[in-house]
Structure formats: structure tokens, C-alpha cells
Amino acid sequence: MSNEILKLKPEGIWKEFNGILGVPRPSKKEAKMVAYLEKWAKDHKVKYVKEECGNIIMTVPATKGMEDRQTVILQAHMDMVCEKNNDKKHDFEKDPIEPVIKGDWLHANGTTLGADDGIGVAAALAVIADPKVEHGPLECIFTVDEETGLTGAMKLDPKDFTGRTLLNLDSEDEGEIFIGCAGGMDTIIKVWYELEPAPEEATAYRITVSGLKGGHSGDDINKNLANANKLLTRILWQATTWFDLQLYDFQGGNLRNAIAREATAVAFIPNDCVKDFEHYVKDMEKHFKQEYQVTEPGLKVTVEVAEVQPDVVIDEMSQFNLLNGLYACPHGVIAMSQTIPNFVETSTNLASCKKKEGYFFIQTSQRSSIESSKQDIANMVEAVWSLADADVEHTDGYPGWAPNPNSAILDVAVNCYKKRFKKEPKVRAIHAGLECGLIGDKIPGMDMISFGPTLRGVHSPDERCEIPTVQMFWDFMCDILKNAPKAEAKKSAAKKTPAKKATAEKKAPAKKTKK
């Protein structure tokens, strides 16, 4: 199918994306992608810097006649979310992504596609490689580990680039320009357990919730999608009382920034209750299907005798703490914005629950465009799990990106979009986290916007890219680069006498202190 991709328009982006599909690039394991970008830069005779954390920054001179423009940064992240269907055999550290074209959409075969944000990386590379694209001085920043820790943005060294106008190529809705994003943090929980002998006269069953859409815990949190961890917990919590269920294992969800699509548990049921238990689980499936009849048509709950019958279960008190904690732990939208219509302000995601040796490891993530609200919902999650006698800790998190409606590059982008497509773009903030928040926090005054083609189902094997919107994305980006503001301020500063420079330097600390 790779040859089919090369026939798509615009050829430049799809050629670069096709190459990226063959490079393994899981978060925190981007070494092969870093090497790929280094070789790409050398092959195209492009100057670059490799930062200690793995970020790659390519510097590109202006095209003829565009030397008077401001330096523009094209920014994208090189890592991808690695999710696959249970029946798909795929090693994300070795195997290439297998693309599949279905009508106007590009999918992957049973895995995430990695258009988030491989399509952004491809777009930046295509700009560099295409001599027909008019642009001023460019700096292309490709960061590592955006998906699991924003490590690349956190460790980005401002000394390695000079631009103060940034185009983030990591958005997922063509026709929308983003000028702000939520901040976020994670709350990590450990529920300790001890093992006891498995009950006699009982049978171990495997209960599985599957077929859910999953999706991005920021973009998709308000779409009434089911969370597999929450559904499975509902089954187990009630069954503990009704059938004297005793739990051996619980495994649900995978990634901190994805809504859990699948979850499975192994639990013992007394032999004289097994038939009633099987009927109960199927009844719960009917309830779930009714509750999510529109948003989760593929929802499925299965119950079957476990292939391997364990000889131990977790102790009763630990089971009580785990199931009550999972049931009570908030998930979903907590508050909508009071100032932006239909905009999620605060949310939390019960992302995953994994059984480890001696404890269950539970990941949750909180997002909000208001810092105090972000901390409040994280505290709420901590309070729930404290009642369940669990160990709780919070990550440092990352800042939000405050909208700047007076942005110069936003004016350019809006005018370019209206001229090109004869309609108004939507200008809004996004509930998902973007690296712009960290970059803007690191470099005050950075003028930024974010945009991209239309992606759907990101962070899940349903991830897909709408092919026609990639052409629109490309044309829009090229128009912005062609019309980027002139670097008049920098020119006048360069002509200052040494005495004036000294005066300007003396004023700088005062401005910094004032901020």
C-alpha cells in the first residue's frame, strides 16, 4: 500500500510521511527516528543541531526574495502513541506501520497510524525539500517524547534557535486554528495487595470489556465514550456482593492520555453460582449497550472460564480498596468553560490499571485551562484513593497556553485562510495539551498558532487521516510562510549604536522582573 500513498496529493508530504511510516518511534524510544532525521538533514545538506535529549533542530535559509521576513519555527513531535488491537501482532520497536487507504481516509492495519504527529514532521520536511515553497528563514524543531511526558519541549534549549514566531503542526481539525490549550498533570496510584489461597469449590472466570473506540483523553473526553476500566469495575463491584467474587487480576487501558478501550479481569466464582454469574454479565452487557448505543456500537462483554486456573487471589481488603477506588474515581468532563461556548474546561481520565508484583498501578491524568481547577481535580482523585488506603503521587505537570487574540501570526493565518478557501476559519482553544504551553512558558512573548489536517481516533487503532485535508493543510501552511511578517523590528535593532544597545540591555532586566 506504500506505493498507493505516493500517488496522493500533495506528493511532498506523502513522500515524507511514507518514509516516516517505516521508522519505529515509540515515545521515549525515538533513537531510530532521531537517526533518520539526522541522515535526512545530511542528505539534504541542511544544518541541524541534535540536543542532548534527542530533539532535532534544522536551520534553513530564506528563499530568494524572502530574506527580510521574520524567522518562523515549524514545530512537530517525532514520537507516536503505540496502540494495537489485541489480535494484531506488531512490535512497535521493530515493525513498520502498515498503511491502508479506505476512501478519503488513511488508516493503519490494526495499529495507530502515527499521523499524530508524523504528518506534522512530514510537512516540515516537505517544506525544506521543495524549492518552490517561498519562505523566510526557517527553524524546524522536532521534539521527542511529547506523548508520554512532553520531555522534548521541557528540555528544549532556547539557545539552539532564534525564532519567536511558531507554527505548531500538531492539531487535528482542518479549518480550525488553535491559540490556546489546557495544562495537565498525572496522578499515579498504587494499591498494595497480598496473596491468599484461591477458594475451594470455585472456578476462575475471565471477564473482558472490548470493542470500545477509546480516543484522546483531551480531544475526545466530551464525546460520551465508554471507559473500559469503569465498565469492568461496575461488573466486579456488584458481583463481589452478589456472588462472593474473589479477584485475581485486573488489567485495563494502556496509555495515560488515551481513554481505555479494553479491560479484562480474572476472578473466582463459587461453583454453585456460575450460571447465575454468566447471566449477570450478559445482562450487564445489555445495559452497557443501551447506555452507549450511539457512541459505542462495537461494545462487547465476554465471560468465559479462564484457561489457567490460578491457585491464589488477592486479599479481601485489597480487593475492597481497589474496586471501591476504581468505582469512585472520577472520569470524564468535570466542568465546561464559562467564557468559551462548548469548550471543556476541566476533565480527568482514569487511564489504566495494571497488576504488578505486590501492587496495582493506576494512572490517571487531569487537564484544565485554569491552573487552580487542574490542581483541584487532581486533589479530588487523591482524596478518593486516600480513602482506599492507596499511595498517591502527582507529577509536576505542564502549563497551559493562554490565548493571544492580538497575535500577528494569527492575523496572517486568518487572512490567508479566508483568501485561499473563501470562508472564515474557526479560532479557538483546545482541551488537549500542546507543546506550545511549555514553549511559551519557557520563552515569554513567543507568537504561536497551531493547525493541521483532520485526524480522527488518535491514540487508538482507529486513528485515521482525512486525505483531502492534507492538501488543504499544505496550501494553508505555504500561504502563511509566504506572507509571514517582515523582520522590521530586528532590522532597526541591528542599526542601533553601541550606546543605544547598552541602554536597551539595561532595560531588559526591568521587563523581566515586571513579568
Side-chain angles (χ1 to χ4, degrees), residues 188-194 250-251 314 318 322 353-362 391:
I188 310 300
I189 300 104
K190 289 182 179 179
V191 177
W192 299 89
Y193 67 82
E194 295 181 357
F250 190 118
Q251 306 282 348
I314 67 172
S318 298
L322 176 69
C353 177
K354 300 293 184 182
K355 185 184 180 186
K356 307 288 186 180
E357 187 173 350
Y359 64 93
F360 286 91
F361 183 74
I362 298 152
D391 291 344

Side-chain angles (χ1 to χ4, degrees), residues 9 38 42 45 52 86 99 140 144 167 191 199 230 236 241 253 292 306 313 320 326 357 362 380 421 432 477 508:
K9 303 292 184 183
E38 287 190 277
K42 292 173 183 176
K45 297 179 172 56
E52 186 176 348
N86 280 345
C140 298
V144 299
L167 307 182
V191 177
K230 298 296 282 186
L236 302 176
T241 302
Y292 295 96
V313 293
F320 178 88
L326 289 171
E357 187 173 350
I362 298 152
M380 186 186 300
F421 302 113
M477 178 178 62

Side-chain angles (χ1 to χ4, degrees), residues 204-235:
Y205 275 82
R206 180 177 298 278
I207 309 99
T208 301
V209 175
S210 62
L212 305 184
K213 292 180 179 178
H216 193 288
S217 62
D219 285 345
D220 299 323
I221 200 69
N222 63 333
K223 296 179 180 178
N224 197 36
L225 298 172
N227 181 316
N229 292 326
K230 298 296 282 186
L231 297 189
L232 182 57
T233 298
R234 284 174 62 179
I235 294 172

